[in-house]
Amino acid sequence: MTESKNKIKLFEEKQVRTLWDETNEKWWFSIVDIIAVLTDSESPRHYWTVLKKRLNAEGNETVTNCERLKMQAADGKMRLTDVADTEQVLRLVQSIPSKKAEPFKMWLAKVGNERIDETVDPELSFDRAIKNYRSLGYDENWINRRIKSIEVRKGLTDEWDKSGVKDKEYATLTDLMSKTWSGMSTSEYKRFKGLKKENLRDNMTNMELILNMFAEAAATEISIVEQPTGFAESAKVAKRGANTAKVAREQLETETGKSVVSSLNAKDFGEEQLLSENDS
């Protein structure tokens, strides 16, 4: 597991130690630091020991079955400490009787209700996505393409499902397609754009988004015609579909004299730069 040290400030002057897990693309948070923030306990470590025993007694292993990673302690030395990922942190917050935890609990209830509503009416998820993109200042044309790309992606994963591809294998096929058309795997592409947890597609330029969508649409069409069975056959189809986008990318780069794959992203660049083509 590749890690990098980071710190984030929460609730005024209190710090929560964090580690970014590059391999699994997730943040790890120091549990005792979170408890210190939420409880103002004089001994967060003891609080966590007692809470862990109670949760174990209740049969709640989701939080207590945590990782231990080395983080810098107050004395400057690297020491093993219990850490939790985002999902575990949210579950932990629900187990802490603290006024400071209430905003987190309210947010969880709101998100949970939204997900239930979207299950009943999937169109709501598209409406919510459009509102979120607009609030972030994305151009309407880009938003339309991004929403279309979600639809295209769904068509491809439906084909994978029909072919007997397992959910956990989707990421491998996605990496294969990304590597084929862009020259980079998903993780390499994200590093190139300076991203961590952020969604890669939400940080693509117009042309990157179009070519990625073209690769997935082509793979879907080939799959519909040839009806592959299992992962191996679906991987061949996925690569062929992505290769059509690679050919289009190379042709466009020859015509324009510039690279389609761009380091521009929504965090480090203004929307106008992101949504225009890379002039470098």
Side-chain angles (χ1 to χ4, degrees):
M1 178 172 65
T2 305
E3 301 159 359
S4 60
K5 290 191 282 290
N6 289 276
K7 275 190 175 182
I8 59 174
K9 182 178 288 187
L10 294 176
F11 299 100
E12 299 175 351
E13 298 303 318
K14 293 192 175 178
Q15 302 275 335
V16 173
R17 289 169 293 168
T18 68
L19 279 175
W20 171 251
D21 180 351
E22 185 174 317
T23 302
N24 297 302
E25 297 186 350
K26 64 163 66 176
W27 285 103
W28 293 104
F29 302 86
S30 166
I31 293 178
V32 293
D33 290 356
I34 291 172
I35 288 175
V37 168
L38 295 178
T39 67
D40 290 325
S41 171
E42 294 182 0
S43 180
R45 196 172 303 279
H46 177 68
Y47 189 106
W48 169 231
T49 299
V50 174
L51 178 60
K52 191 188 318 188
K53 288 181 179 179
R54 176 170 67 80
L55 293 174
N56 276 327
E58 295 173 354
N60 186 346
E61 297 182 354
T62 303
V63 176
T64 57
N65 186 22
C66 55
E67 295 278 346
R68 300 198 79 212
L69 298 175
K70 284 188 175 182
M71 290 185 165
Q72 188 171 19
D75 59 6
K77 295 182 179 180
M78 300 299 291
R79 302 183 186 279
L80 284 173
T81 185
D82 287 348
V83 296
D85 61 19
T86 304
E87 180 180 358
Q88 289 173 312
V89 168
L90 295 176
R91 288 180 178 270
L92 177 65
V93 165
Q94 296 177 46
S95 303
I96 297 178
S98 165
K99 290 183 179 180
K100 292 183 179 181
E102 287 307 310
F104 288 88
K105 294 178 182 178
M106 291 176 66
W107 178 79
L108 286 172
K110 180 177 182 295
V111 170
N113 185 64
E114 288 178 350
R115 295 299 179 270
I116 292 173
D117 289 344
E118 289 169 6
T119 300
V120 177
D121 184 2
E123 188 174 332
L124 292 174
S125 63
F126 284 91
D127 293 339
R128 183 169 60 85
I130 291 172
K131 289 179 181 177
N132 287 340
Y133 288 131
R134 283 174 177 164
S135 69
L136 292 171
Y138 283 99
D139 176 82
E140 287 295 321
N141 290 328
W142 185 94
I143 293 174
N144 291 334
R145 293 189 181 96
R146 182 68 181 97
I147 296 303
K148 181 63 179 179
S149 75
I150 295 172
E151 180 184 337
V152 170
R153 173 68 177 182
K154 179 63 167 56
L156 178 58
T157 56
D158 284 347
E159 278 300 307
W160 286 347
D161 184 57
K162 292 176 185 177
S163 301
V165 176
K166 299 177 182 178
D167 288 356
K168 63 182 180 181
E169 295 172 326
Y170 287 5
T172 303
L173 293 179
T174 301
D175 269 348
L176 172 63
M177 295 185 69
S178 178
K179 188 79 173 180
T180 300
W181 83 260
S182 73
M184 292 183 283
S185 67
T186 304
S187 59
E188 291 170 339
Y189 211 151
K190 292 179 74 170
R191 283 197 296 273
F192 179 64
K193 285 182 173 289
L195 307 174
K196 291 190 185 318
K197 192 68 175 176
E198 300 93 333
N199 186 292
L200 174 59
R201 297 166 200 238
D202 286 350
N203 288 273
M204 285 183 170
T205 63
N206 271 317
M207 192 51 64
E208 287 175 306
L209 196 58
I210 289 169
L211 286 173
N212 191 72
M213 184 165 43
F214 179 34
E216 295 190 331
T220 301
E221 289 301 311
I222 297 172
S223 180
I224 291 172
V225 171
E226 299 195 358
Q227 298 184 5
T229 301
F231 175 82
E233 291 184 12
S234 294
K236 292 179 182 178
V237 169
K239 187 169 184 177
R240 287 165 58 195
N243 194 59
T244 62
K246 175 186 177 182
V247 172
R249 174 180 66 81
E250 292 175 341
Q251 180 64 33
L252 179 60
E253 289 176 341
T254 298
E255 295 292 339
T256 62
K258 62 183 182 181
S259 175
V260 168
V261 178
S262 170
S263 61
L264 294 175
N265 67 66
K267 180 179 179 181
D268 296 328
F269 296 84
E271 285 80 8
E272 289 184 2
Q273 288 177 287
L274 172 67
L275 300 173
S276 64
E277 303 311 324
N278 188 7
D279 290 325
S280 60

